[in-house]
Amino acid sequence: MNLLHMIPDASSCCSADSISRAKQILALIPGRATGAYSHSQGIKGLRDAIASGIASRDGFPANADDIFLTDGASPGVHLMMQLLIRNEKDGILVPIPQYPLYSASIALHGGSLVPYYLNESTGWGLEISDVKKQLEDARSRGIDVRALVVINPGNPTGQVLAEENQYDIVKFCKNEGLVLLADEVYQENIYADNKKFHSFKKIVRSLGYGEDDLPLVSYQSVSKGYYGECGKRGGYMEITGFSAPVREQIYKIASVNLCSNITGQILASLVMNPPKASDESYASYKAEKDGILASLARRAKALEIAFSKLEGITCNKAEGAMYLFPQICLPQKAIEAAKAANKAPDAFYALRLLESTGIVVVPGSGFGQVPGTWHFRCTILPQEEKIPAIISRFTVFHETFMAEYRD
Amino acid sequence: MNLLHMIPDASSCCSADSISRAKQILALIPGRATGAYSHSQGIKGLRDAIASGIASRDGFPANADDIFLTDGASPGVHLMMQLLIRNEKDGILVPIPQYPLYSASIALHGGSLVPYYLNESTGWGLEISDVKKQLEDARSRGIDVRALVVINPGNPTGQVLAEENQYDIVKFCKNEGLVLLADEVYQENIYADNKKFHSFKKIVRSLGYGEDDLPLVSYQSVSKGYYGECGKRGGYMEITGFSAPVREQIYKIASVNLCSNITGQILASLVMNPPKASDESYASYKAEKDGILASLARRAKALEIAFSKLEGITCNKAEGAMYLFPQICLPQKAIEAAKAANKAPDAFYALRLLESTGIVVVPGSGFGQVPGTWHFRCTILPQEEKIPAIISRFTVFHETFMAEYRD
């Protein structure tokens, strides 16, 4: 039985542009199939497509040779940490609070995390003066600080950096001879009307910096944005400003694991090249994208307002990403109860919340915070229709908790 | 337009058992979709399926909690090296010749590779006496040897270990307190009638060893066998014989990267649970599987015979895996020409072969070999109908090369 004759015509269920895109993608893959290993940087034609997507996002050229496709963004972070860290005297500047991939990767590779604190009172602003202070302090302790990690939009803090701030960061890295590791996986997740995402690649090029000025690694993922295809494990890093011998080492390490998964590679190329206005599927794509992002913005706002109303809680705006990171001023009695239970106070609060409501938040101590302050990270991802019930359960819990422990 | 109504009925092109399997798999995944992160060890229901596949392969029980799904086998190897290696005084016993993932991973994690030589004259046999000698030698140099890597069937050497040999290896590891890292990704690729694959897990259990006797990590992949879905990056490691605190550390490291890709996870569960005799698709599955493996066996035999006929080449049988690893006795003049070109003699030969014929082989120096001997690794993967042309082009090249350099 020849099953091929029985496979129905795709045009009965798919738009013309999606069919032609599928054909284009297959034509880019040697053997027109997804079952073989690819080049260790990823399939060349997909990297071309990503480079062209980056170029139209930034208004500056991008090069397929600079793209390394990865199984999500995490393996690219590990790869760079592996290269940058020789021993415990090598330091990496990391924002606090931070997504703990960075602390874990630095620990696994035996380096030193050099923390700089985001300023909660200015909406989790990144202050160069503090970064410089931490850098100098680390250097005075004999640490060779090699790179600066910036997460923009922020995780867990949800802030979007101002363009001028990004210029300062880039100049700072150039002056201090630091590699800039730019985690930009939430680049599509911007909710504040007065904020816009600018890639560090664009900022670097806008300053007129070329290949000899600043080593920059930019991370992107298919797990965030309006697509959220986390289980596919797709992502890439774009490396610019590295010398040929260093690039060779990056390639060598990438090649040890052969290649990232091809489905994830294809998705990364789609994320950077969504349907165009002239495509049949554009209207439905646009409606779905706008709908998802508008809903995320409404959820963020609703949670922010609800948290801000509660006794002892202050909450910055979620300008971007998928999180709120409210500060909670815990009563002394709660802090003592936490101590008696051998838990960090925010972990104690989060566990009590989980037990009484089923709501999961992550204690701030998992991300780092200014000592003596307590936070929790709350995603904005529950379905929108569930948000009011979550807010009311949360409010009841919080009021009961405060009544129990109020000083 | 509701496209769902337009999606054609799968039964017009797929067997009943493949449709019901797809439904079963979806039912195992929270949300019935492949787009979300999974448990960091992989989806529980898929691990259950893999454990049951292992149990029916071995005749001994297997446990879903022991399975870690990975993006191909390589990340699992890195994970264990990361745990086993603390510094350059920690050593890992690795066969020479070896698949260079092992040397690369040991180097990246800053440990010491302790080589043991496979015996070419006994068909790349693994001799415990040599392993023991290398272990003692390493220990006398202050190396803390922590694990033994065995690749069975062998890469690049293509041998299949005898069952008695496997018993000796397991006893040796137990006596010497070594972790056994068993690379079994070619377990379906057995071509010699007198050879059979036995997993180390089965050998360990057959000896009556339980959880307290021997730490064993078994690697499997969807990239080899008769399926060869390399681009999907699926695989798993099964860990047994580790204490609870060590298992916790393994889990912690696995969780840093969130999870492996879900498509690869599903394929790993299929590889360990192919269609059963009662299934509609069994006949076509069986025919395709047997056809592929029989063809690989014929290709291996044809290449082995062809290589053996050539002046200065001796070639062991490909009992399994996907490779031949012939030894080539190069004339002194060729060795001098290689030296003048600043190349290893086998690399010089392989490059000349590539330039004159387009045929790619990998020089033995990439895998390690007894000093002063030269080899190349040749896959058995070119389409069967191309093998005769490859053999004749190879033969012409070799005769010309030897005529040019014969002493």
Side-chain angles (χ1 to χ4, degrees), chain B residues 145-177:
Chain B
V145 179
R146 313 203 76 203
L148 170 74
V149 172
V150 177
I151 310 174
N152 180 47
N155 178 1
T157 39
Q159 85 285 17
V160 177
L161 293 180
E163 195 174 358
E164 316 79 69
N165 198 196
Q166 293 185 269
Y167 282 113
D168 292 342
I169 293 165
V170 166
K171 288 180 201 158
F172 175 78
C173 287
K174 179 173 157 66
N175 292 339
E176 301 290 350

Side-chain angles (χ1 to χ4, degrees), chain B residues 33-276:
Chain B
T34 58
Y37 292 126
S38 72
H39 186 289
S40 291
Q41 286 184 237
I43 291 162
K44 172 65 164 59
L46 298 176
R47 287 186 280 128
D48 283 330
I50 289 170
S52 118
I54 294 171
S56 44
R57 179 195 68 194
D58 293 344
F60 291 96
N63 190 331
D65 293 342
D66 298 341
I67 310 291
F68 285 71
L69 283 151
T70 49
D71 291 310
S74 310
V77 171
H78 288 306
L79 191 157
M80 289 310 304
M81 293 299 175
Q82 198 149 39
L83 270 170
L84 287 163
I85 296 170
R86 294 158 301 188
N87 56 52
E88 73 284 359
K89 285 291 180 194
D90 282 334
I92 310 288
L93 278 157
V94 173
I96 298 295
Q98 54 108 26
Y99 178 56
L101 165 66
Y102 294 97
S103 48
S105 189
I106 293 167
L108 281 170
H109 294 103
S112 292
L113 187 149
V114 180
Y116 65 90
Y117 285 94
L118 299 174
N119 188 341
E120 186 165 9
S121 66
T122 60
W124 300 113
L126 189 165
E127 288 175 18
I128 293 290
S129 58
D130 184 55
V131 182
K132 196 171 169 59
K133 192 173 140 279
Q134 301 297 340
L135 171 68
E136 281 165 2
D137 177 63
R139 284 182 176 157
S140 75
R141 287 179 288 118
I143 303 288
D144 184 356
V145 179
R146 313 203 76 203
L148 170 74
V149 172
V150 177
I151 310 174
N152 180 47
N155 178 1
T157 39
Q159 85 285 17
V160 177
L161 293 180
E163 195 174 358
E164 316 79 69
N165 198 196
Q166 293 185 269
Y167 282 113
D168 292 342
I169 293 165
V170 166
K171 288 180 201 158
F172 175 78
C173 287
K174 179 173 157 66
N175 292 339
E176 301 290 350
L178 299 173
V179 174
L180 177 54
L181 301 173
D183 179 338
E184 299 178 334
V185 299
Y186 293 102
Q187 59 189 260
E188 298 277 4
N189 298 94
I190 310 286
Y191 312 119
D193 291 335
N194 61 337
K195 289 292 175 101
K196 201 173 166 317
F197 170 76
H198 303 280
S199 79
F200 272 103
K201 172 86 180 307
K202 173 180 155 186
I203 299 291
V204 164
R205 291 290 179 262
S206 300
L207 279 169
Y209 291 176
E211 277 300 302
D212 296 331
D213 294 302
L214 180 75
L216 167 68
V217 185
S218 308
Y219 295 98
Q220 168 67 314
S221 165
V222 309
S223 303
K224 321 297 176 191
Y226 51 91
Y227 19 88
E229 291 286 348
C230 334
K232 303 296 189 207
R233 314 307 286 126
Y236 71 80
M237 58 177 191
E238 182 191 16
I239 60 157
T240 51
F242 289 91
S243 68
V246 174
R247 292 174 68 102
E248 218 170 275
Q249 295 306 312
I250 296 175
Y251 178 67
K252 192 192 265 184
I253 297 190
S255 68
V256 173
N257 280 348
L258 304 167
C259 68
S260 62
N261 84 85
I262 308 295
T263 311
Q265 292 189 23
I266 293 171
L267 289 189
S269 81
L270 295 177
V271 154
M272 296 309 286
N273 295 277
K276 291 184 176 40

